[in-house]
Amino acid sequence: MPHRLFIGIRPPAAVRQVLIDTMEALDGARWQDDEQLHLTLRFVGEVEREVANDLAAALASIAMPSFELALDGVSHFERKGSPTAIWAKVPPTAELLRLRTKIDRVCDLTGLGCETRRFTPHITIARLNRHTGSIADWLTRHADLRDSWQADAFSLFESHLLTSGAQYEIAARYPLQA
């Protein structure tokens, strides 16, 4: 049975609470649960157990110091002119990009190839659909969203797709050196 995986950073509880506090006053938004709040570094997709185990072992070879991350406002993704998600911006620091490069290299070495999509560091706050009301007021109200934290680990997550939405489970956690 395949495992649906991604690699990301989970913000601490205080930062997740700042994000949760924005989750209001937007009709039709599907707000993320606390357990779903993360910064994706690399989406892996569905892989067999052997590849998942190889990836988990290879990620343990990544050595890097911990580093600071920040929230810096909000934005949205859209498809065909309609918003599909709203998210908190995470500025792409040199350390974050270095970690992402190391992860991409490990994924390539384990046979998963290199990532070809543009990296836009963010934490998804809500999923939207065509029934969602206008997001302009929400974006304006939360434009000054700011916080920061020390990223002291990254994780390999397994995503379970349920009728109620995706449920994420940390399969392995990789500490960054203090």
Side-chain angles (χ1 to χ4, degrees):
M1 180 161 113
H3 297 269
R4 188 170 192 263
L5 305 176
F6 67 91
I7 302 157
I9 294 175
R10 183 122 161 91
V15 174
R16 296 192 316 267
Q17 188 58 54
V18 167
L19 295 168
I20 289 167
D21 290 345
T22 70
M23 298 179 183
E24 62 184 3
L26 188 55
D27 292 337
R30 224 174 54 236
W31 302 108
Q32 299 293 91
D33 291 335
D34 177 73
E35 298 81 27
Q36 295 173 311
L37 296 172
H38 68 276
L39 165 65
T40 300
L41 297 169
R42 167 73 191 251
F43 179 73
V44 175
E46 289 192 3
V47 297
E48 295 301 323
R49 178 180 302 275
E50 183 178 327
V51 175
N53 290 341
D54 290 347
L55 176 60
L59 286 170
S61 72
I62 293 176
M64 242 186 96
S66 63
F67 56 92
E68 187 170 306
L69 287 174
L71 302 178
D72 187 21
V74 293
S75 190
H76 70 287
F77 290 125
E78 59 181 56
R79 185 178 302 125
K80 297 180 182 175
S82 294
T84 57
I86 53 175
W87 42 272
K89 297 177 190 177
V90 178
T93 64
E95 295 88 354
L96 177 61
L97 296 176
R98 190 173 320 116
L99 176 59
R100 184 169 185 278
T101 298
K102 289 179 178 223
I103 288 169
D104 201 40
R105 193 172 306 126
V106 163
C107 288
D108 191 33
L109 291 171
T110 55
L112 298 168
C114 288
E115 179 60 71
T116 58
R117 292 171 287 199
R118 190 174 128 226
F119 181 49
T120 304
H122 69 280
I123 300 173
T124 301
I125 298 171
R127 307 271 179 204
L128 312 175
N129 61 41
R130 59 185 166 84
H131 302 295
T132 304
S134 171
I135 64 172
D137 288 345
W138 188 94
L139 291 172
T140 299
R141 192 167 47 257
H142 298 290
D144 63 349
L145 178 71
R146 303 282 183 280
D147 207 339
S148 63
W149 76 97
Q150 194 69 18
D152 61 359
F154 67 96
S155 299
L156 177 63
F157 291 84
E158 184 163 4
S159 174
H160 305 281
L161 298 178
L162 309 172
T163 55
S164 57
Q167 180 183 37
Y168 305 138
E169 171 186 356
I170 294 178
R173 187 171 184 276
Y174 305 95
L176 300 171
Q177 294 90 20

